[in-house]
Amino acid sequence: MALDMAFFEDMENRIPKGKVRTRFAPSPTGYMHVGNLRTALYTWLIARHNGGDFILRIEDTDQGRLVEGAVDVIYKTMAECGLTHDEGPDVGGPVGPYIQTERRGLYSKYAELLVEKGAAYYCFCEKAESEEESGDFNHAADPCRNLSQEEIAVNLSAGKSYVIRQKIPTGQTTFHDVIFGDITVENETLDDQVLLKSDGLPTYNFANVVDDHLMGITHVVRGSEYLSSAPKYNLLYEAFGWNIPTYVHCSPVMRDAQNKMSKRHGDPSYEDLIAKGYLTPAVLNYVALLGWSPKGEIAEQEIFSLDELTQVFDIAGISKSPAIFDIAKLDHFNAVYLRAMESAAFHKVAEPYIRQSVKNPKIDTAMIAPLLQARLETLAEIPEKVDFFDTLPDYGTDLYINKKSKTDEDSSLEILTAYLPVLEALDAWNHDTLYQSMVDYAAEHELKNAKLMWPVRIAVAGKTVTPGGAVEICHILGKDESLRRIRIGIEKLSNR
């Protein structure tokens, strides 16, 4: 059957040219792991740094691994991270469709074109699909590799099931990667991989080459685990007579020196990190530095906004070495970002976490938030830090013993009993009034401020470590609740 060459010419004419074009092409498998997010970020940065286009393509040809709602997770994550795409399934573009299963009619045409060029062949051998996908196949022993045109025609006429395999030539293949340099392999080590499966869908290794070319992709960013497949990609590009894109193979993100990060082993996805109280800008900043480092005057800089990364990101800064995901380092980044937030913005992100344990609507979360901002690494720490505002915990009187404040149970009982009437008599109940009252009382009775404030703090909070001290906590709790708690403290100390 003669091929319609006008179709291929038309497809070539659609390809945008003259600028950098990159793509992020995730499989919709349910979540965005850290390595995937890094690939998306680097790909986006290369496009934006060079004034190019960033394309989102959904690679859903592996139907067995699809997860319902996973595409929405991809859109949501990209939007939250500010990784806007110029073309994609939801926004369209000149070289759509941008979902692989919607392009399935293309792949058989290009596979047949390869057969005509002598770079692929029909294979009628009976093999399980898993074997086809694995590529575990010795091309020298494949009886279909050298079938005559007549034999092929007979099999096709008989309706025999087939796959189309790449015909690996003899010799060597050399490809270039920006990070790893030139790599040469012996072609005899490469298998005749399946390009088109028996169900008519392409394998990943074929579809990504066809799609990258037809979408005008100039830079392909992917994990270094694909280095072993790169020679086969090169051979496909060469067989078609297409330009080979710039390869950027990134070393893996590791949990430790031996193990790659894996959802299966409980390593966090992007969504997990956000749920654990990390800020998106902090996560992006940290992920950017997992395998990339700035050069020159900014070599020591760690904190970068997305706009700053766009300005300074350079492929040359990507390392060959695997990057170890260090949660303590991410904690540090997140703390820096939390402290740098405007107070109103911090209150907005902190409020849901405060309300997890502070259910009392009379307590103003806007008064609690400023006490937390400089004391956190993640937002998830908040509920435990502020739970005492809602309910006074059951505590032992040993908390009143504090060497630094020079307090013990006896002195605390004496001070609380004497100071309670002073608080009861206060007309105004605000931060300044409370502070002045405590400072004046301590001075009048020749006490260090801490000797008074420590017992008050323990009485109203029931904890030794709190955001804010006695003044702030009494202010937030209000007069009635503060006095009630101090009376409970006096009773505890009296009955010990």
Side-chain angles (χ1 to χ4, degrees), residues 252-261 321-326:
V253 179
M254 309 288 284
R255 182 185 341 131
D256 51 44
Q258 285 78 39
N259 299 289
K260 286 175 65 174
M261 287 188 75
S321 304
I324 294 179
F325 183 85
D326 181 353

Side-chain angles (χ1 to χ4, degrees), residues 41-86:
L41 176 60
Y42 287 4
T43 309
W44 185 88
L45 287 170
I46 291 168
R48 294 292 176 253
H49 180 75
N50 291 285
D53 294 328
F54 177 65
I55 293 97
L56 177 64
R57 184 171 79 222
I58 303 299
E59 299 199 335
D60 61 344
T61 54
D62 189 350
Q63 295 285 295
R65 296 178 63 229
L66 301 191
V67 174
E68 189 175 348
V71 174
D72 293 332
V73 170
I74 293 165
Y75 286 139
K76 181 172 181 286
T77 301
M78 300 291 280
E80 284 181 12
C81 293
L83 304 181
T84 52
H85 49 278
D86 303 294

Side-chain angles (χ1 to χ4, degrees), residues 109-353:
K109 291 182 174 66
Y110 280 92
E112 287 162 8
L113 179 59
L114 274 185
V115 172
E116 182 143 311
K117 288 173 174 288
Y121 61 95
Y122 293 98
C123 178
F124 301 94
C125 302
E126 292 184 7
K127 292 180 178 64
E129 203 84 318
S130 59
E131 284 181 84
E132 294 177 4
E133 284 284 69
S134 73
D136 184 16
F137 187 68
N138 181 355
H139 58 68
D142 187 350
C144 298
R145 188 176 162 93
N146 298 305
L147 288 177
S148 67
Q149 289 300 319
E150 292 75 16
E151 289 171 306
I152 293 169
V154 168
N155 286 335
L156 291 175
S157 297
K160 285 192 72 172
S161 177
Y162 65 87
V163 299
I164 293 180
R165 291 185 179 277
Q166 183 175 6
K167 184 181 283 188
I168 302 291
T170 57
Q172 295 178 324
T173 297
T174 299
F175 68 95
H176 180 77
D177 178 79
V178 171
I179 301 167
F180 290 88
D182 287 338
I183 298 175
T184 300
V185 299
E186 298 295 330
N187 288 355
E188 65 183 19
T189 66
L190 306 176
D191 59 280
D192 281 7
Q193 65 178 349
V194 174
L195 304 178
L196 200 71
K197 297 184 284 187
S198 57
D199 61 3
L201 280 174
T203 58
Y204 165 82
N205 286 327
F206 185 51
N208 87 81
V209 168
V210 173
D211 289 342
D212 284 346
H213 174 71
L214 295 181
M215 292 184 178
I217 302 304
T218 59
H219 294 68
V220 172
V221 182
R222 56 182 167 234
S224 58
E225 65 269 24
Y226 290 103
L227 277 170
S228 61
S229 299
K232 292 183 282 189
Y233 301 151
N234 259 42
L235 289 168
L236 289 172
Y237 281 109
E238 289 169 358
F240 280 122
W242 295 340
N243 291 332
I244 297 169
T246 299
Y247 293 146
V248 185
H249 287 88
C250 301
S251 292
V253 179
M254 309 288 284
R255 182 185 341 131
D256 51 44
Q258 285 78 39
N259 299 289
K260 286 175 65 174
M261 287 188 75
S262 162
K263 182 76 169 177
R264 197 168 57 250
H265 292 116
D267 294 316
S269 66
Y270 165 78
E271 284 187 301
D272 293 334
L273 290 172
I274 300 310
K276 289 178 180 179
Y278 294 93
L279 299 173
T280 294
V283 173
L284 272 183
N285 190 158
Y286 179 60
V287 166
L289 298 175
L290 284 173
W292 173 83
S293 55
K295 306 292 183 188
E297 294 177 1
I298 56 169
E300 300 303 315
Q301 184 174 333
E302 282 192 326
I303 304 302
F304 293 93
S305 68
L306 195 56
D307 283 344
E308 288 172 323
L309 284 170
T310 301
Q311 297 300 315
V312 303
F313 190 82
D314 182 357
I315 295 173
I318 300 175
S319 171
K320 285 183 186 179
S321 304
I324 294 179
F325 183 85
D326 181 353
I327 201 74
K329 187 72 172 172
L330 177 58
D331 288 345
H332 162 71
F333 273 79
N334 206 59
V336 170
Y337 274 84
L338 286 169
R339 284 153 182 66
M341 292 181 81
E342 294 287 337
S343 56
F346 176 77
H347 175 233
K348 185 176 180 181
V349 298
E351 184 174 28
Y353 292 88

